[in-house]
Amino acid sequence: MIKSDIVKSIISEKIRLSSNEGKAFAPANIALCKYWGKRNAELNLPVTSSLSISLDGLGTQTVLSLNEDQDVIFLNGQKLDPDTVFYRRIKEFLEPFRPDNIYFTVKTTNNIPTAAGLASSASGFAALVSALNELFNMQLDKKELSILARLGSGSACRSLYDGFVEWHAGTRSDGMDSYAEPLSNSWPDLRIGILTVTEKQKPKSSRAAMAQTVKTSLFYRKWPERVKYDLAAIKEAIKSGDFELLGQTSESNALAMHATMIETVPAVFYWLPETIQVFHRVWELRQNRVPVYFTIDAGPNVKLLFSHDNENRLKQEFPDLQIVKPFGSEDV
Amino acid sequence: MIKSDIVKSIISEKIRLSSNEGKAFAPANIALCKYWGKRNAELNLPVTSSLSISLDGLGTQTVLSLNEDQDVIFLNGQKLDPDTVFYRRIKEFLEPFRPDNIYFTVKTTNNIPTAAGLASSASGFAALVSALNELFNMQLDKKELSILARLGSGSACRSLYDGFVEWHAGTRSDGMDSYAEPLSNSWPDLRIGILTVTEKQKPKSSRAAMAQTVKTSLFYRKWPERVKYDLAAIKEAIKSGDFELLGQTSESNALAMHATMIETVPAVFYWLPETIQVFHRVWELRQNRVPVYFTIDAGPNVKLLFSHDNENRLKQEFPDLQIVKPFGSEDV
């Protein structure tokens, strides 16, 4: 099963060359129960389900239009050279959507610092498929858009929604049951804090780290069992509004993901001294009865989970903290 | 099966009150394939075998004599209060060896910095049983001494020997097949570097960390399989003098042990920012073709493995490095 066939099966006969422009925004998302490991690398099919929270207004805005000459791609206002990895990745993704003799102009803008280790590819591909849907007036449903976004970047399937989002791993080999859905629960008090400990490029892509872990980590074989527990606990925490359970489980799940990398031969090690310093400061805060937890993706930067009540205390502790209200519009 | 019964079965009828003094030295040891997790906490029976290298002249000297009044214990020249943990642990250990109406004077001296995270309990109990053997002229063999030392502290059974030492996990419930034996191989060029990144007391004892890991880490269930590979690789490396294999496997084994702690709920986390800095510096040195690897026990301090040839380079890189020649007397 190849990627372009799946795209074509979803969009077949639906493309209408009616609009002049497709425009969409998609939020970045942070996994509380991590996506770590693929069962199919071509289709970005995961080994396990995962659960994230979207970052409201932080994400990617993409405007698509047609032109007759060549694909032109702008990233944050900069026209990209066709030789860049980014250009080629977008162009390749657009291929199965392309009607004959049609070229695209893509203007994509991230309002998240790329270096913060926030997956801009997640919001990027989610915004791109939504913009394509509008441009071609395809009227695809969210499930179809989620599947298409996943083909661009796994975690992009979760960026189609706001709030808490679960990506169902699915079992089919064509991935038609591997898509994300939002949870109905809202948590207006919840805050995400982004701590950029370094702006250096990370030494290994998540994609490569994931592949190496699946291939060489013995402990990874217990990861699916770990996720089963954690996913259930996080859903229970969201349902009952149990912040401690949410935080404890999210933090432990992120540490477990890193444990699989650390056990990999040779080790994949994203943590810097500054990362560890944040861990210890968070644990110290908790000992001082400040309920704050962290999560961390495949990189050195840390995200904090806390409640509205502790915003000032944390701002004091971490002056550079960038605070996000995931349920912004419903803000208390 | 309780500890004192086992001691008595080994020493029965062998005690001769002939000598005035028992005196023995035992080296500290550093595990290259770690001992992590007990199948019996009372008898210190391990889940897996392990393999260490002894630190030649770094260790514990113990002098034992008899007195008729009360147990008196000196640690590094200081007379200990009977209320200290150390005093009580030694006294309890001595109980089954005690003839009626006899008391001990124990003078024990470590020449290793206690704070360096080197297990002084390993060399301590090894020296103590050797001193008991001499004091009572019991003429126990090394296997019996190794078993007795293990009852004091698991890794002490390895400190009965110099050089490379393997502790056989054994399968018996009384532990009579769980003892250490030396490997015949020598490696005169090999150097161990001790890096004390902090002198602070560690937040959790190895014993407690081990117990928590065995109880709550899912990844720990794969640890025995990991050790099987690593033990075979390290023995092969020692046999063939393959430093890269020795270093790579030892480093990865130590990281895997920490990965089980990191995955434990809540995480047991011994690393400090300074620890991580050493990891990165070691990896950077390797990228610059300096063959150096690290190992790390349940604490924040790091031990380096390298060869005689690179001693100056490493001394330059880490001015505080304390260098040990494990095969000192055969030094090149």
Side-chain angles (χ1 to χ4, degrees):
Chain A
M1 190 65 72
I2 61 166
K3 205 184 274 195
S4 57
D5 293 339
I6 291 176
V7 173
K8 282 172 184 158
S9 77
I10 295 173
I11 66 174
S12 67
E13 312 291 315
K14 288 180 183 154
I15 287 183
R16 304 279 171 271
L17 283 172
S18 56
S19 315
N20 293 318
E21 197 180 84
K23 187 172 167 180
F25 172 82
N29 74 77
I30 285 174
L32 302 178
C33 183
K34 302 296 183 191
Y35 153 49
W36 194 241
K38 305 181 191 210
R39 60 186 161 91
N40 178 324
E42 154 102 14
L43 303 181
N44 293 330
L45 295 175
V47 171
T48 70
S49 294
S50 57
L51 194 150
S52 62
I53 185 157
S54 288
L55 296 189
D56 193 53
L58 278 189
T60 305
Q61 172 87 46
T62 294
V63 184
L64 267 183
S65 55
L66 301 177
N67 76 51
E68 283 154 21
D69 200 19
Q70 58 170 328
D71 289 332
V72 182
I73 304 176
F74 293 86
L75 173 61
N76 296 332
Q78 293 272 340
K79 189 174 167 183
L80 294 182
D81 192 291
D83 278 346
T84 53
V85 173
F86 192 93
Y87 183 100
R88 278 182 287 164
R89 195 165 168 203
I90 300 291
K91 187 183 164 71
E92 194 211 342
F93 183 80
L94 289 171
E95 231 40 75
F97 293 91
R98 189 191 300 280
D100 290 343
N101 304 316
I102 289 287
Y103 295 90
F104 295 99
T105 297
V106 184
K107 293 184 178 173
T108 191
T109 314
N110 296 320
N111 65 359
I112 31 172
T114 308
L118 291 170
S120 57
S121 62
S123 52
F125 281 103
L128 186 59
V129 298
S130 297
L132 279 162
N133 189 40
E134 195 183 304
L135 176 70
F136 291 141
N137 192 22
M138 293 187 281
Q139 308 196 18
L140 301 174
D141 62 27
K142 284 272 200 170
K143 175 178 159 184
E144 292 168 318
L145 291 174
S146 180
I147 290 172
L148 290 174
R150 191 200 73 229
L151 296 170
S153 172
S155 54
C157 73
R158 296 186 310 234
S159 276
L160 263 300
Y161 307 94
D162 287 316
F164 296 112
V165 181
E166 182 177 1
W167 174 7
H168 308 290
T171 55
R172 291 178 55 153
S173 61
D174 65 1
M176 294 306 286
D177 57 353
S178 183
Y179 58 90
E181 279 185 319
L183 277 70
S184 60
N185 315 70
S186 167
W187 196 321
D189 273 0
L190 190 65
R191 296 291 178 270
I192 308 282
I194 299 166
L195 269 178
T196 307
V197 305
T198 180
E199 304 213 339
K200 274 189 285 191
Q201 188 79 21
K202 60 189 182 182
K204 195 187 264 280
S205 72
S206 311
R207 177 176 285 256
M210 211 181 254
Q212 186 182 323
T213 303
V214 174
K215 198 172 159 198
T216 77
S217 166
L218 200 57
F219 293 176
Y220 181 76
R221 299 189 199 162
K222 286 282 172 189
W223 174 250
E225 202 178 328
R226 209 27 245 249
V227 168
K228 211 178 97 189
Y229 294 128
D230 290 346
L231 201 58
I234 290 173
K235 285 162 89 167
E236 172 55 34
I238 291 171
K239 208 171 127 190
S240 60
D242 183 339
F243 177 71
E244 196 186 320
L245 181 62
L246 183 79
Q248 195 68 265
T249 312
S250 302
E251 183 174 300
S252 182
N253 179 270
L255 288 172
M257 175 180 79
H258 280 266
T260 68
M261 295 185 229
I262 289 169
E263 195 259 338
T264 291
V265 187
V268 175
F269 205 94
Y270 285 113
W271 298 341
L272 298 177
E274 297 87 339
T275 312
I276 302 298
Q277 198 151 31
V278 173
F279 291 179
H280 285 286
R281 285 174 72 190
V282 167
W283 293 326
E284 212 176 309
L285 281 163
R286 284 221 294 276
Q287 280 193 329
N288 294 326
R289 296 170 177 276
V290 182
V292 52
Y293 297 85
F294 65 81
T295 183
I296 176 164
D297 289 307
N301 295 310
V302 184
K303 290 98 187 181
L304 305 184
L305 299 171
F306 53 96
S307 185
H308 172 61
D309 318 343
N310 292 297
E311 224 172 294
N312 288 336
R313 175 68 199 265
L314 285 158
K315 195 78 195 165
Q316 204 179 342
E317 186 76 21
F318 302 101
D320 297 333
L321 194 68
Q322 187 182 356
I323 296 175
V324 180
K325 300 173 184 174
F327 298 90
S329 51
E330 313 169 49
D331 191 20
V332 283
Chain B
M1 191 64 72
I2 62 165
K3 207 185 271 195
S4 56
D5 293 338
I6 290 175
V7 173
K8 283 173 184 158
S9 75
I10 294 173
I11 66 174
S12 66
E13 311 293 314
K14 289 180 184 154
I15 287 183
R16 304 278 171 271
L17 282 172
S18 56
S19 314
N20 294 318
E21 196 181 86
K23 186 172 167 180
F25 172 82
N29 75 75
I30 285 174
L32 302 177
C33 183
K34 303 296 184 192
Y35 153 48
W36 194 242
K38 304 181 193 213
R39 63 186 159 90
N40 178 325
E42 153 102 12
L43 304 181
N44 292 329
L45 295 175
V47 172
T48 71
S49 294
S50 57
L51 194 150
S52 63
I53 186 158
S54 287
L55 295 190
D56 192 53
L58 277 190
T60 304
Q61 173 88 47
T62 295
V63 184
L64 266 183
S65 55
L66 301 177
N67 76 51
E68 284 155 21
D69 198 23
Q70 60 170 325
D71 289 330
V72 182
I73 304 177
F74 293 86
L75 174 60
N76 298 330
Q78 293 272 341
K79 189 174 165 183
L80 293 182
D81 192 291
D83 277 347
T84 54
V85 174
F86 192 92
Y87 184 99
R88 278 182 287 163
R89 197 165 166 201
I90 300 291
K91 188 183 164 72
E92 194 210 342
F93 183 78
L94 289 171
E95 231 40 77
F97 293 91
R98 188 191 303 277
D100 289 343
N101 304 315
I102 289 287
Y103 295 91
F104 295 98
T105 297
V106 183
K107 293 184 178 173
T108 192
T109 315
N110 297 321
N111 65 359
I112 32 173
T114 309
L118 289 170
S120 56
S121 61
S123 53
F125 280 102
L128 187 59
V129 296
S130 298
L132 280 163
N133 189 40
E134 197 184 302
L135 176 69
F136 291 141
N137 191 24
M138 293 188 282
Q139 306 197 22
L140 301 174
D141 62 25
K142 284 272 202 170
K143 176 178 156 183
E144 292 168 318
L145 292 174
S146 180
I147 290 173
L148 291 175
R150 191 201 73 228
L151 296 170
S153 171
S155 54
C157 73
R158 296 186 310 234
S159 276
L160 264 300
Y161 308 94
D162 287 317
F164 295 112
V165 181
E166 183 177 359
W167 174 8
H168 308 291
T171 55
R172 291 178 55 154
S173 62
D174 65 1
M176 293 306 287
D177 57 353
S178 185
Y179 57 91
E181 280 186 316
L183 278 69
S184 59
N185 314 72
S186 167
W187 196 322
D189 274 359
L190 191 65
R191 296 291 177 271
I192 308 282
I194 299 166
L195 269 176
T196 307
V197 306
T198 179
E199 306 213 339
K200 272 188 287 190
Q201 188 79 21
K202 59 190 185 183
K204 194 186 264 279
S205 73
S206 311
R207 177 176 285 256
M210 213 182 254
Q212 187 182 322
T213 304
V214 173
K215 196 172 161 198
T216 76
S217 166
L218 201 57
F219 292 176
Y220 181 76
R221 299 189 198 164
K222 286 284 172 188
W223 174 250
E225 200 177 329
R226 205 32 241 249
V227 168
K228 211 178 96 190
Y229 293 129
D230 290 346
L231 201 57
I234 290 174
K235 285 162 89 168
E236 172 56 33
I238 291 170
K239 208 170 128 191
S240 60
D242 184 338
F243 177 71
E244 197 186 320
L245 182 61
L246 183 80
Q248 196 67 267
T249 312
S250 303
E251 183 175 301
S252 183
N253 180 269
L255 288 172
M257 175 181 78
H258 280 266
T260 67
M261 295 184 229
I262 290 168
E263 194 257 340
T264 291
V265 187
V268 175
F269 204 94
Y270 284 113
W271 298 341
L272 298 177
E274 297 85 342
T275 313
I276 301 299
Q277 197 153 29
V278 174
F279 291 179
H280 284 285
R281 286 174 72 189
V282 167
W283 294 327
E284 213 177 307
L285 280 163
R286 284 221 294 277
Q287 281 193 330
N288 294 325
R289 296 169 177 277
V290 181
V292 53
Y293 296 86
F294 65 81
T295 183
I296 176 164
D297 289 306
N301 296 308
V302 185
K303 290 99 187 181
L304 305 185
L305 300 171
F306 54 95
S307 186
H308 172 60
D309 318 343
N310 293 297
E311 224 172 292
N312 288 336
R313 176 67 200 268
L314 285 158
K315 196 76 195 165
Q316 207 179 338
E317 187 76 19
F318 302 101
D320 298 331
L321 195 67
Q322 185 181 359
I323 297 175
V324 180
K325 300 173 182 174
F327 298 89
S329 51
E330 315 169 48
D331 191 20
V332 286

